[in-house]
């Protein structure tokens, strides 16, 4: 089974949700015109950085507006990440919206950061506690966000759950963009899924200073190959073909990657359980 999917790369509009939503809607139209059925946006797509005052529930006003566009164009959308409010808690959350406009599910970022421009701990964010996979007509879709790809464990959990397409919004400044490129290739090859890694471009003023984003938003195959890239510096959309038969074939051919040796992994298991 083959279908087209893509990433969107944008300059930030800090705190101006209406402007960001209008720009996103235009890019979704562009991606759909290229035949895309699945699109992924960048981390903090609506706000650029976390602030409690910008938090909203999910589902909520922004996901409802984006849901209307998804319904109009028949799209699945990982709506970047948003500052989600749930009671008194706030999260960095990736919503997955379906072609009916409704919320398929959501993922709350595990690995929060606390250096500019993403001072998530200082903003009072809470980490998530689950790594979900969602069954869709376009395969088994997993969600992660930014620094969740730095340690290998979240991706491995998704792989063991049968993830075939990983949507991973990023927000890497120019300082980290090489790591962004490298880690995506590693995780896609290690765990044998398509990896979508959108990243912003342009300069943005935040409370922590002015930061530059190069972009380099990409889609990476299960073989670790970049099969689509928006490029650097400029806004845009990159659309490619995802082949679920191919990902299932390479998983079968490389089944050795998913063998487990718990006795050899004991130090890691001990550490994850809170041991020294």
């Amino acid at each position: 089974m083959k279908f087209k999917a893509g990433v969107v790369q944008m300059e930030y509009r800090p705190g101006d949700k209406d402007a960001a939503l209008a720009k996103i809607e235009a890019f979704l139209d562009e991606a759909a015109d290229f035949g895309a059925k699945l699109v992924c946006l960048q981390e903090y797509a609506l706000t650029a950085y976390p602030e409690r005052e910008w938090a909203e529930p999910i589902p909520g006003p922004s996901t409802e507006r984006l849901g209307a566009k998804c319904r109009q164009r028949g799209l699945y959308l990982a709506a970047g990440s948003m500052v989600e409010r749930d009671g008194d808690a706030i999260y960095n959350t990736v919503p997955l919206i379906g072609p009916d406009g409704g919320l398929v599910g959501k993922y709350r970022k595990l690995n929060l950061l606390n250096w500019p421009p993403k001072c998530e701990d200082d903003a009072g964010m809470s980490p998530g506690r689950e790594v979900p996979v969602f069954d869709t007509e376009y395969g088994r879709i997993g969600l992660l966000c930014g620094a969740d790809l730095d340690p290998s464990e979240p991706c491995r959990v998704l792989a063991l759950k049968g993830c075939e397409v990983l949507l991973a919004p990023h927000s890497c400044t120019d300082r980290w963009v090489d790591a962004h490129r490298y880690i995506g290739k590693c995780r896609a090859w290690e765990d044998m899924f398509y990896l979508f890694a959108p990243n912003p471009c342009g300069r943005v003023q935040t409370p922590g200073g002015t930061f530059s984003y190069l972009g380099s938003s990409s889609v990476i195959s299960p073989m670790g190959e970049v099969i689509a890239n928006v490029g650097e510096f400029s806004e845009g959309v990159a659309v490619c073909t995802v082949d679920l038969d191919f990902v299932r074939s390479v998983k079968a051919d490389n089944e050795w990657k998913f063998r487990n040796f718990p006795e050899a992994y004991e130090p890691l298991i001990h550490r994850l359980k809170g041991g020294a």
Side-chain angles (χ1 to χ4, degrees):
M1 176 183 173
K2 297 180 181 180
F3 63 94
K4 290 187 176 180
V7 289
V8 171
Q9 178 170 298
M10 303 191 314
E11 294 185 5
Y12 280 131
R13 301 288 186 273
D16 190 343
K17 288 185 180 181
D18 284 339
L21 286 164
K23 184 177 287 289
I24 289 167
E25 288 167 334
F27 276 127
L28 293 181
D29 280 330
E30 183 177 345
D33 288 345
F34 280 115
K37 298 298 183 183
L38 171 67
V39 178
C40 187
L41 308 178
Q42 66 209 34
E43 188 175 9
Y44 292 120
L46 301 184
T47 60
Y49 54 90
E51 289 285 354
R52 180 175 285 272
E53 65 181 284
W54 296 334
E56 61 178 274
I58 297 177
S62 294
T63 56
E64 288 175 7
R65 180 169 167 178
L66 292 173
K69 178 58 70 174
C70 289
R71 186 165 54 250
Q72 179 190 23
R73 300 307 305 253
L75 292 171
Y76 279 91
L77 173 66
S81 76
M82 301 180 182
V83 186
E84 180 196 12
R85 183 179 69 249
D86 185 358
D88 292 331
I90 61 172
Y91 301 90
N92 185 1
T93 300
V94 183
L96 180 62
I97 301 170
D100 63 354
L103 189 70
V104 176
K106 60 187 178 182
Y107 166 74
R108 291 167 171 170
K109 185 177 180 181
L110 295 174
N111 292 281
L112 301 177
L113 302 179
N114 207 41
W115 62 72
K118 290 189 287 188
C119 294
E120 294 168 323
D121 290 329
D122 287 348
M125 286 190 152
S126 299
R129 288 289 181 264
E130 297 180 84
V131 185
V133 172
F134 303 96
D135 286 308
T136 76
E137 64 209 271
Y138 297 114
R140 306 204 73 196
I141 294 176
L143 305 172
L144 290 177
C145 187
D148 287 328
L149 268 69
D150 288 15
S152 61
E153 289 84 5
C155 283
R156 178 44 50 118
V157 170
L158 287 174
L160 294 174
K161 288 184 175 183
C163 176
E164 296 170 314
V165 177
L166 172 56
L167 309 178
H170 278 67
S171 179
C172 291
T173 65
D174 54 359
R175 180 182 180 188
W176 304 106
V177 73
D178 280 341
H180 163 75
R181 296 185 184 107
Y182 174 75
I183 290 172
K185 292 179 181 180
C186 288
R187 298 293 174 255
W189 164 242
E190 285 172 348
D191 297 306
M192 308 253 88
F193 42 52
Y194 285 93
L195 195 154
F196 288 66
N199 195 51
C201 61
R203 292 173 66 82
V204 63
Q205 180 67 44
T206 80
T210 301
F211 295 89
S212 296
Y213 296 87
L214 299 185
S216 195
S217 300
S218 60
V219 182
I220 304 165
S221 83
M223 300 300 289
E225 301 166 331
V226 175
I227 57 175
N229 191 285
V230 181
E232 296 183 348
F233 307 113
S234 299
E235 295 182 318
V237 175
V239 173
C240 63
T241 298
V242 171
D243 186 344
L244 293 181
D245 290 334
F246 174 69
V247 73
R248 292 163 187 171
S249 174
V250 296
K251 280 178 181 284
D253 289 344
N254 293 276
E255 56 79 26
W256 57 271
K257 289 191 175 187
F258 303 100
R259 298 172 191 168
N260 291 302
F261 305 93
E263 65 282 0
Y265 302 156
E266 182 57 36
L268 173 62
I269 296 168
H270 181 68
R271 181 66 178 269
L272 292 174
K273 289 182 177 180

